Each structure stands twice: as C-alpha cells, then as structure tokens.
Amino acid sequence: MNLHERIDDRLRQFVERQHVFFVATAPLAADGHVNVSPRGLPGTFAVLDDHTFAWLDATGSGSETVAHLRENGRVTVMFCAFDGAPNIVRFHGVGRVVTRHDDGYPALAGRFADVPGARAVVVVDVERVSDSCGWGVPLMSYEGERDLLGPFFARKGEAGQEEYRRRKNATSIDGLPAFDAAPAPRAAVGDAE
Ligand SMILES: Cc1cc2nc3c(=O)[nH]c(=O)nc-3n(C[C@H](O)[C@H](O)[C@H](O)COP(=O)(O)O)c2cc1C
C-alpha cells in the first residue's frame, strides 16, 4: 500500500478513466447499517483539484450515501483496474451534498454530463490518498452501458422524478433523513424567526 500526498496526475488519469467506482459510508450509530454503492455513469465523476473530487448523483432506488453524508460526512471511494496495469485506489474524505434545490447546484452540475434524474452533486474533501497492488482483481473487459437508468428517469419527467424521490429517497434504511424532496424555503437574512 502506498500513501500519496495528493491526487497527482497519474492517479487522476487512472480514476477518471474507470467506468465504475464504489462508495462506502456509514451512520454513527454502532448498530447502523454500513453501506456500499456503485457509482460512475459516464461523465459523472471529476477530480476538482489535488484534494477534492465530486460526482453527480443520480436518483436511485435508495439514499444511503446522501443520508450518511448529511449525518457525518465520512466517505471512502474505491476504484479498481479491471483492465491494463493492476491498481486499486482509495480516497478517504469528508463529503457534502449539494442538492438540486441548493444555490450552488447549477454551477457544480454544469461540470458533468446531463443525466436525467440527477438529484445532487457530492463534493468530497480528500484526507487520505492511497493505492495498492490490485493483483487479485480479475481482468474484465468493458462492453458498454446498459442505458436503462437515464431513459427510466427521462420517461418520468421532472414531476415524476420528484415523486419517486419523495417515495424512495426520503430516509436511509436506518431512518436517517436523506434527500429533501421539497426543502422548506430558507428564511431571507434579517427575517424574523
Ligand atoms: C455505474 C453506476 C452508477 C450509478 N449511479 C448512481 C447514482 O448516481 N445515484 C444512485 O442513487 N444510484 C446509482 N447507482 C445505483 C446505486 O448504486 C444503488 O442502487 C442505489 O441507488 C444506491 O444509492 P445510495 O448509495 O444513495 O443508497 C449506480 C450504479 C452503477 C452501477
């Protein structure tokens, strides 16, 4: 295992080339459910600088990652080489969720592909960068995308996506608040309580 000071060009090129990565998060509760989810639709991951990366998060059948990030921010992502030279890269860090209802969303989302059903951008400050040999990861070849998720949400339209998130993304399996489908309007600065 090698530790790195930062996400250098070699690491950046490696992770941005991968078709899938794995996101691990956990709630604080000792008996809470630890989660791992795949991510990596085309054009949805980017290294922003030496210590920051982000991904565009599409609406999904659950919302564990968002719930855990909102509660405690801890996150690890893992990339594996399935072809070419062996490698496994992990970024440990602290993530925040910028949802489609937040002010900073359009600027961040503009960096990524236009994914139907996009619900948030997750921005992660990386605290630990490591890689390891990857000798045990099998060689596999990439055949292509399934082209199911995008069309599924495109067919639903904006209102259908909202309704889906309200039903499926409101809480984690432990009951933590996850995606706010309709956040209360924020009080303007100076408003009475
Ligand atoms: C390549 C790839 C990309 C995915 N992207 C997302 C995504 O952006 N958002 C999402 O909720 N689920 C995505 N999924 C499916 C989820 O991993 C999963 O089924 C579920 O929605 C997990 O979301 P959660 O971690 O918030 O619970 C993706 C799966 C694959 C294989």
Side-chain angles (χ1 to χ4, degrees):
M1 202 267 301
N2 298 302
L3 275 180
H4 301 272
E5 281 292 303
R6 60 189 186 89
I7 306 171
D8 61 24
D9 283 348
R10 184 186 62 87
L11 289 167
R12 177 194 192 124
Q13 282 164 21
F14 172 73
V15 297
E16 290 189 342
R17 222 177 37 238
Q18 301 310 311
H19 297 291
V20 64
F21 61 100
F22 301 90
V23 178
T25 56
L28 294 178
D31 60 353
H33 290 79
V34 173
N35 184 66
V36 58
S37 292
R39 291 284 190 274
L41 296 169
T44 63
F45 176 88
V47 172
L48 303 186
D49 65 37
D50 285 2
H51 285 95
T52 318
F53 68 84
W55 79 82
L56 181 72
D57 203 53
T59 302
S61 48
S63 205
E64 297 302 297
T65 305
V66 167
H68 298 163
L69 291 175
R70 280 183 63 183
E71 190 206 38
N72 62 69
R74 293 176 304 165
V75 58
T76 302
V77 298
M78 180 185 74
F79 299 81
C80 298
F82 294 109
D83 57 15
N87 199 10
I88 299 171
V89 172
R90 288 184 177 81
F91 299 150
H92 292 69
V94 175
R96 66 191 164 90
V97 181
V98 180
T99 81
R100 51 185 293 113
H101 304 297
D102 293 328
D103 292 342
Y105 181 79
L108 278 168
R111 293 169 165 266
F112 299 100
D114 193 9
V115 173
R119 64 182 171 191
V121 173
V122 174
V123 182
V124 179
D125 292 324
V126 178
E127 295 179 336
R128 189 177 194 277
V129 177
S130 66
D131 63 1
S132 54
C133 68
W135 292 356
V137 175
L139 283 168
M140 293 192 263
S141 35
Y142 175 71
E143 285 188 31
E145 299 300 319
R146 292 182 194 267
D147 204 22
L148 292 171
L149 197 70
F152 175 79
F153 285 112
R155 277 195 305 275
K156 285 193 179 300
E158 290 285 328
Q161 292 167 22
E162 280 291 322
E163 189 274 329
Y164 182 94
R165 284 191 288 269
R166 221 183 299 277
R167 265 189 303 120
K168 303 248 195 189
N169 292 173
T171 58
S172 73
I173 54 182
D174 295 323
L176 293 172
F179 190 85
D180 270 337
R186 257 167 281 164
V189 178
D191 276 7
E193 283 292 305

